[in-house]
Amino acid sequence: PNYEHILTESHDKVGLITLNRPKTFNALSSDLFHEINDALKKFENDSSIGAIVITGNERAFSAGADIKEMLNQTFANSYKTNFLFHWGEINNIKKPVIAAVNGFALGGGCELAMSCDVIYAGETAKFGQPEIKLGLIPGAGGTQRLTRVIGKSKAMELVLSGRTFTAQEAEQWGLVSKVFPVGEVLEKAIELGQEFAGFSQPVIQAAKESVNSAYELSLREGCHFERRIFQALFSLNDAKEGKDAFANKREAKWTHD
Ligand code: HXC
């Protein structure tokens, strides 16, 4: 497809989306975000793709929403058009989405990374929710996702000061799962995606759905939900195949059904 602000390619079962507005540190204009959503949907509907990686460049994953685009925004207009609603579409993607973050991940950029299922970061990556400095607050889940992951005191400190935090801090707090040298992050993210893509797609989707339900449900409801999905998986050929392969000491051949 012909995109203006992103590049897409596939790497053996992994769809890669590269944010490509380098002059503005990959500021997330509406046009850019619509392209991300379109690319996500295309990879979601492509049965040869088992996981998706989103990345930027070495200077920036993304510096957030396009501030210039918001200069003349009004309450009435943003309310009428449900401004930023389309930022939530990534949460409906069933395949695993991995963020490979180098450089700045600020504001909406940090929120986009947090909307992914796994974050890998480069050693010099800088995260933050600086909206307070613009007279705004995070608007795409920042106050919610950051708080759930790193806790209230740290989230308050960061959101109310707009201070940035490092890749190492993010890893220590559990926001980022691993930190790599700058030049290796993308490769490692793609390898992780390929590992996910090597398993049964419906089972991977069930695992993702079940982990995500931990954010929505009480422990009792979450465990109930997990058990029901677990039970349902016995209806899949891939669950029969996986158990049979183990019992017969051979490698499983997934048919994704
Ligand atoms: C629009 C941006 C931008 C942004 C940078 N640019 N970030 N344009 N929206 N978010 C543009 C600058 O205007 C400038 O354009 C060019 O990119 C280079 O930026 P500089 O500031 O000159 O570079 P530098 O001094 O190296 O600083 C880099 C930076 C800084 C630390 C990333 O640009 C910065 O702080 N950006 C804003 C970060 C931010 O506040 N993000 C939150 C946005 S609000 P020109 O034309 O002058 O060369 C948000 C709300 C989320 O995300 C709500 C839900 C979506």
Side-chain angles (χ1 to χ4, degrees):
N2 262 346
Y3 295 120
E4 199 181 334
H5 306 298
I6 62 172
L7 304 168
T8 58
E9 53 198 270
S10 46
H11 290 258
D12 184 25
K13 297 185 191 160
V14 173
L16 174 63
I17 299 174
T18 306
L19 310 183
N20 190 30
R21 275 188 91 198
K23 284 186 190 141
T24 59
F25 290 79
N26 291 327
L28 299 165
S29 61
S30 300
D31 286 348
L32 197 169
F33 222 99
H34 284 301
E35 291 187 358
I36 296 174
N37 284 337
D38 188 75
L40 284 170
K41 262 175 241 155
K42 290 215 164 74
F43 285 136
E44 178 94 324
N45 294 330
D46 179 344
S47 60
S48 73
I49 295 294
I52 301 163
V53 172
I54 302 181
T55 196
N57 55 54
E58 295 199 350
R59 283 164 76 216
F61 179 72
S62 168
D66 191 317
I67 299 168
K68 288 167 191 165
E69 205 178 78
M70 293 191 294
L71 286 178
N72 297 315
Q73 186 61 277
T74 62
F75 170 72
N77 186 58
S78 73
Y79 188 67
K80 285 190 289 185
T81 61
N82 206 354
F83 183 58
L84 297 183
F85 179 75
H86 60 284
W87 281 58
E89 284 183 36
I90 187 171
N91 303 311
N92 300 323
I93 298 295
K94 296 208 243 16
K95 292 176 182 174
V97 184
I98 301 160
V101 176
N102 269 316
F104 293 109
L106 301 178
C110 186
E111 291 170 304
L112 174 61
M114 291 193 291
S115 293
C116 295
D117 300 308
V118 175
I119 307 178
Y120 274 4
E123 280 165 349
T124 54
K126 278 240 162 9
F127 296 82
Q129 297 291 161
E131 288 89 344
I132 202 83
K133 299 180 184 173
L134 302 169
L136 292 170
I137 71 168
T143 64
Q144 304 304 299
R145 292 200 174 86
L146 195 62
T147 307
R148 280 164 204 234
V149 177
I150 73 174
K152 174 174 158 175
S153 180
K154 282 190 174 65
M156 282 290 187
E157 187 183 353
L158 293 166
V159 172
L160 275 56
S161 70
R163 281 188 206 160
T164 58
F165 53 101
T166 63
Q168 293 72 21
E169 287 171 312
E171 184 190 23
Q172 202 188 324
W173 302 338
L175 191 75
V176 155
S177 64
K178 286 196 178 69
V179 177
F180 297 100
V182 170
E184 288 176 25
V185 189
L186 179 57
E187 182 188 323
K188 296 290 184 188
I190 291 172
E191 280 171 19
L192 181 68
Q194 284 165 343
E195 207 175 320
F196 295 165
F199 292 105
S200 164
Q201 279 184 23
V203 181
I204 282 284
Q205 289 180 20
K208 168 171 168 165
E209 191 181 2
S210 199
V211 171
N212 274 335
S213 74
Y215 283 100
E216 312 287 348
L217 304 176
S218 69
L219 183 60
R220 177 188 287 266
E221 290 167 317
C223 288
H224 181 82
F225 181 76
E226 178 195 77
R227 196 165 53 246
R228 282 289 175 269
I229 292 195
F230 176 82
Q231 291 161 347
L233 292 184
F234 288 112
S235 64
L236 288 180
N237 288 322
D238 280 341
K240 292 191 182 70
E241 168 65 10
K243 289 173 287 151
D244 188 71
F246 178 83
N248 290 296
K249 300 187 191 303
R250 60 176 179 85
E251 230 184 283
K253 279 207 178 67
W254 311 116
T255 50
H256 308 290
D257 61 358

